[in-house]
Amino acid sequence: MTRTIAVANQKGGVGKTTTAVNLSACLAEKGKQVLLIDLDPQGNATSGAGHNPDEVEKTIYNVFLGGISLKDVIRTSKVSGLDVVPANVLLSAADIAFASDIARPFLLRNAMRKTTTAALVHYEFIVIDCPPNLGLLTQNALVAAGELIIPVDARYYSVVGINILAGMVREIEEKLDHHVELLGILVNMFDRTTTHHNAILEMLKQTYGSKVFQTIITRNIDLSDAEANHMPITLFAPKSSGCRNYQTLAEELLALSEMAPSSS
Ligand SMILES: Nc1ncnc2c1ncn2[C@@H]1O[C@H](COP(=O)(O)OP(=O)(O)OP(=O)(O)O)[C@@H](O)[C@H]1O
Ligand SMILES: [Mg+2]
């Protein structure tokens, strides 16, 4: 069964895309079939998976507009087992284009359901990269996903931000009757030598207990260099600490039993 995982946080620059791309690549490296869906008009996950967002012909936005199926926009990547559904800046028009559409929170879920089951069923993981806001696109990701990863940086306002996102998850549950299981909060850009970072980590563990991933992603320049070179870390710097961190995260995720039914 496919596990559909949204990577979300309304705060910008906390490592959503870095996590979506590199976790997907590490799962693929472990022999899993993975589909990475870029749901951010910035197109950073598209780029991280090796495709130029400005040059891709069809994107997730074309699927939302209709007449083209999700399976028709799937692209392969240089990582065996990792495919990608691209996005680019045109997706930023979605808010206005679907403003009066009664099914607006269900655009992605419906696209996934309409795509012939055979086209998606062989993916063991679908990972969705979200934009830095709680608007229509993040809402669509949460409605399409069964599970959620929240990457955070080790700063005070990250803790506050989690509550706001958790509020949206509750609202989706109450008003749209869809449950998304919090798979884990992922501490990123961590520096063990910084007292403040350690204090925030402690605070997160006290508040969210086992929902904080044991794996911590430390600050590692290879991760940003991989991004600049449009490559997952598994290809760019397989021996780096950043790669090791994401491999460990993939192992932790695989060890966690499936906690939520996927809606794909
Ligand atoms: N652990 C890390 N070590 C070093 N650099 C990192 C790390 N994680 C992310 N970065 C870098 O920080 C920047 C922000 O990361 P990323 O783009 O993944 O965040 P984001 O949450 O997806 O941002 P946005 O909200 O704009 O979509 C990028 O340049 C990325 O390469
Ligand atoms: Mg991003």
Side-chain angles (χ1 to χ4, degrees), residues 93-114:
D95 258 310
I96 293 170
F98 296 99
S100 59
D101 190 326
I102 198 162
R104 61 201 302 269
F106 304 99
L107 298 169
L108 181 59
R109 190 163 93 177
N110 288 348
M112 287 163 72
R113 285 183 177 173
K114 274 185 205 153

Side-chain angles (χ1 to χ4, degrees), residues 9-249:
N9 188 334
Q10 70 276 18
K11 194 161 181 279
V14 292
K16 292 179 287 297
T17 306
T18 303
T19 297
V21 169
N22 294 311
L23 174 61
S24 295
C26 288
L27 287 169
E29 195 185 46
K30 290 186 185 303
K32 304 294 172 191
Q33 295 295 319
V34 185
L35 179 64
L36 172 64
I37 299 182
D38 193 349
L39 213 56
D40 183 351
Q42 296 181 100
N44 293 341
T46 302
S47 160
H51 294 273
N52 184 338
D54 299 326
E55 287 174 5
V56 285
E57 263 183 43
K58 298 285 181 196
T59 69
I60 187 70
Y61 187 52
N62 298 97
V63 179
F64 290 168
L65 289 176
I68 179 170
S69 158
L70 186 70
K71 73 175 174 10
D72 296 328
V73 299
I74 294 174
R75 297 281 166 269
T76 56
S77 78
K78 289 198 180 107
V79 178
S80 166
L82 173 62
D83 294 342
V84 59
V85 169
N88 63 25
V89 69
L90 297 176
L91 182 59
S92 58
D95 258 310
I96 293 170
F98 296 99
S100 59
D101 190 326
I102 198 162
R104 61 201 302 269
F106 304 99
L107 298 169
L108 181 59
R109 190 163 93 177
N110 288 348
M112 287 163 72
R113 285 183 177 173
K114 274 185 205 153
T115 288
T116 50
T117 322
L120 288 190
V121 83
H122 82 279
Y123 293 111
E124 289 155 282
F125 288 92
I126 297 178
V127 178
I128 310 168
D129 185 34
C130 293
N133 58 60
L134 293 182
L136 175 70
L137 296 167
T138 298
Q139 204 178 14
N140 265 272
L142 294 174
V143 168
E147 297 168 279
L148 168 66
I149 292 176
I150 309 179
V152 297
D153 51 7
R155 289 161 64 181
Y156 172 70
Y157 285 108
S158 299
V159 185
V160 180
I162 293 170
N163 294 333
I164 299 170
L165 179 54
M168 185 177 195
V169 168
R170 271 196 304 278
E171 217 183 331
I172 287 176
E173 179 138 22
E174 285 163 15
K175 296 183 181 168
L176 301 180
D177 194 26
H178 174 73
H179 176 71
V180 192
E181 182 73 26
L182 174 60
L183 196 51
I185 294 162
L186 177 67
V187 178
N188 184 25
M189 303 190 213
F190 192 74
D191 178 0
R192 285 180 206 283
T193 62
T194 304
T195 313
H196 179 66
H197 281 197
N198 287 296
I200 295 290
L201 178 60
E202 268 320 299
M203 192 195 289
L204 284 168
K205 283 182 176 167
Q206 273 172 22
T207 313
Y208 296 100
S210 62
K211 288 291 182 186
V212 180
F213 278 111
Q214 282 174 23
T215 307
I216 285 168
I217 312 293
T218 53
R219 192 173 282 284
N220 175 221
I221 190 72
D222 291 313
L223 286 168
S224 47
D225 285 349
E227 177 201 42
N229 285 278
H230 316 302
M231 277 188 222
I233 193 70
T234 49
L235 295 182
F236 181 75
K239 294 196 188 315
S240 63
S241 65
C243 190
R244 272 201 309 280
N245 285 169
Y246 276 105
Q247 284 164 336
T248 309
L249 179 67

